[in-house]
Amino acid sequence: MTALATTVSDAVIDRLCSAVGPKGFILDPDLMAPYLLDERGMYRGKTPVVLRPASTAEVAEIVRICAETGTPIVPQGGNTGLCGAATPYEDGRAVLMSLTRMNRVREVDPLNYTITVEAGVILADVQAEAAKADRLFPLSLGGEGSARIGGNLSTNAGGTGVLKYGNARDLVLGVEVVLPDGRVLDLLCGLRKDNTGYDLKQLFIGAEGTLGIITACVLKTFPRPGDVQTAFCAVASPAASVELLSRARTLSDDRVITFEWIGSTAYDFGMRHIPGLRRPLVNDYDHYVLIELAAGSAASGLRETMEAVLADGVENGLVLDAAIAESTAQAKAFWKIRETLPEAQKSEGVSIKHDVSVPISRIAEFIDVASAKLTARVPGIRVCAFGHIGDGNLHFNVSQPAGGDGAAFQALHHDINRIVHDTVVGMRGSISAEHGIGRLKREELQHYKSPVALDVMRALKAALDPKGIMNPGKVL
Ligand SMILES: Cc1cc2nc3c(=O)[nH]c(=O)nc-3n(C[C@H](O)[C@H](O)[C@H](O)COP(=O)(O)OP(=O)(O)OC[C@H]3O[C@@H](n4cnc5c(N)ncnc54)[C@H](O)[C@@H]3O)c2cc1C
């Protein structure tokens, strides 16, 4: 690989600024600051310039200049990522490219069930544009009011609709990408069938900006559900949750769109710290699930289906109690319990987070085994787990023992990560189900990914980005 420039010269900065015009760059350190701190406040980076191109041509021109001068580029969308991937390193050698001005909806095609948008469109706006055409864009997650679709694709975001609709990867039909040499790779088609060789678009999805810059994409849309039924249930155990999910899928003719599990520690934290949260059930239990069923038509008898699913669960000893939302407001109140869990956990001191997945059938075993090992290592540790159990994905977070020494607990993070990740990998699971690798999990990736897989990844990186200018030091 060609050596990267150690500094960005004033001449290069001038060329980059001229490529985007006066509205397209920021040099004032105060105005640059929000782009340089990551969502979790773990990394504060440096850059000589924030570039804000407004078109694919401007992105391409910036990349050409960077390729010619060996200048690293860090792409950024909404800067909501959770592993430091969108933050430049502290050495100030990389320019930051924010895609937020590339925020046009290029086409809505209801008959093709597609929407074509630029990378900087906010995820919630993609959903709203689809809804205007009576279509559903099902990607949905906590940060959707700020995250941009280019960032969602680059992290292969999951969220609450994966069970039914898949990850971001499954929702993309085409992409437009500026390659690390500045050429535009136009794969912007809305085809559901195209067997003309390698599926190149998939290379850039989940690549965290290390292989090129996504400038636009064609996304799949779906019919909007006419009826959604939401229930909050107490369940007997994690194993009962998994069994309930399986039975619910069969009994509802596979109309389960969400299945979220919440352990009692997480639930209790929410009730203790989030103002306005109300208990949906009279008593407290050890395990809860939030289930959502959806159907195309409001006259589909979905309410009765939900009742039948829950009654079957009670009969089989899986469900201990349940409440079905009587209104949209009540459904939102159920969701608020799930969505505010990360916030609630902050009030309980130091938390060490793991975003992991295992096969759905091994979720219960994973929770038992990992919890037992952690308790043996740190007596009093509080496993605050919750997650998209329908996708085999848990946010397996652990909080410091109550009233304990936070710094001493933090100092154990390496041991704790090892316990959790060894258990995950022992079950052929993943150490990063949703959030990606970025900077945070680079060493973990080296430790756990097979050497052959790492070789293939490095070969792809070298083939597409021989100068190593695209988001260097992230992922690999
Ligand atoms: C409150 C909250 C809840 C969340 N819940 C979930 C969840 O349930 N499920 C889930 O999967 N994730 C979840 N996330 C993570 C979420 O998926 C990511 O934060 C989001 O997808 C990143 O989008 P962004 O625009 O903010 O990207 P950024 O943070 O700006 O960037 C993320 C990565 O993508 C790269 N990138 C950004 N734009 C481009 C582009 N156009 N071309 C190439 N590379 C690019 C960056 O370099 C970086 O590597 C959550 C995040 C928050 C804050």
Side-chain angles (χ1 to χ4, degrees), residues 39 74-87 97 99 119-120 123 139-144 146-160 167 204 207-210 212-215 338-339 342 388 393 395 433-435 438 470-471 474:
E39 168 79 19
V74 178
Q76 189 179 90
N79 196 19
T80 68
L82 300 173
C83 55
T87 310
M97 185 193 289
L99 277 298
L123 173 55
L139 185 65
S140 177
L141 46 90
E144 65 196 22
S146 320
R148 312 274 170 156
I149 195 70
N152 300 142
L153 265 51
S154 300
T155 54
N156 184 28
T160 53
N167 293 292
F204 303 94
E208 301 183 43
T210 60
I213 294 176
I214 298 173
T215 45
R338 165 65 184 83
E339 283 167 354
H388 317 293
N393 173 200
H395 297 302
E434 288 198 317
H435 300 159
M470 290 304 313
N471 215 358
K474 310 292 170 52

Side-chain angles (χ1 to χ4, degrees), residues 185-207:
L185 176 63
D186 182 354
L187 302 170
L188 218 48
C189 61
L191 301 177
R192 280 157 177 88
K193 288 191 165 180
D194 175 17
N195 284 344
T196 52
Y198 307 141
D199 190 354
L200 296 178
K201 67 177 178 292
Q202 293 295 347
L203 279 178
F204 303 94
I205 301 171

Side-chain angles (χ1 to χ4, degrees), residues 63-306:
V63 177
R64 270 195 294 274
I65 295 168
C66 288
E68 184 195 311
T69 56
T71 305
I73 308 171
V74 178
Q76 189 179 90
N79 196 19
T80 68
L82 300 173
C83 55
T87 310
Y89 278 84
E90 296 75 10
D91 58 17
R93 289 167 59 182
V95 299
L96 190 143
M97 185 193 289
S98 166
L99 277 298
T100 50
R101 286 177 74 217
M102 291 208 53
N103 60 359
R104 281 169 290 264
V105 175
R106 291 196 187 165
E107 188 187 21
V108 181
D109 185 344
L111 287 182
N112 197 39
Y113 277 83
T114 49
I115 179 168
T116 304
V117 294
E118 293 184 345
V121 178
I122 290 173
L123 173 55
D125 293 342
V126 181
Q127 296 162 352
E129 281 299 323
K132 276 191 217 160
D134 196 26
R135 295 289 179 264
L136 173 77
F137 180 62
L139 185 65
S140 177
L141 46 90
E144 65 196 22
S146 320
R148 312 274 170 156
I149 195 70
N152 300 142
L153 265 51
S154 300
T155 54
N156 184 28
T160 53
V162 174
L163 184 57
K164 172 83 178 164
Y165 300 101
N167 293 292
R169 192 181 288 294
D170 304 300
L171 300 172
V172 181
L173 292 176
V175 288
E176 178 187 83
V177 176
V178 173
L179 297 174
D181 60 6
R183 285 179 301 162
V184 177
L185 176 63
D186 182 354
L187 302 170
L188 218 48
C189 61
L191 301 177
R192 280 157 177 88
K193 288 191 165 180
D194 175 17
N195 284 344
T196 52
Y198 307 141
D199 190 354
L200 296 178
K201 67 177 178 292
Q202 293 295 347
L203 279 178
F204 303 94
I205 301 171
E208 301 183 43
T210 60
L211 297 180
I213 294 176
I214 298 173
T215 45
C217 52
V218 185
L219 303 166
K220 286 184 199 167
T221 60
F222 297 83
R224 291 213 303 157
D227 193 5
V228 176
Q229 294 288 328
T230 311
F232 195 91
C233 319
V235 285
S237 62
S241 315
V242 173
E243 178 66 26
L244 178 64
L245 167 63
S246 169
R247 297 179 75 89
R249 289 187 67 179
T250 305
L251 287 170
S252 70
D253 199 14
D254 219 1
R255 285 184 285 179
V256 184
I257 56 164
T258 301
F259 199 90
E260 299 283 313
W261 174 80
I262 304 173
S264 62
T265 304
Y267 180 83
D268 294 345
F269 286 178
M271 292 302 153
R272 201 175 303 156
H273 298 296
I274 303 295
L277 276 196
R278 294 188 39 202
R279 287 176 159 71
L281 307 172
V282 177
N283 296 314
D284 286 346
Y285 297 86
D286 288 338
H287 311 278
Y288 304 89
V289 293
L290 178 64
I291 310 180
E292 218 155 49
L293 306 182
S297 133
S300 61
L302 198 64
R303 168 82 185 204
E304 290 71 26
T305 307
M306 179 66 96

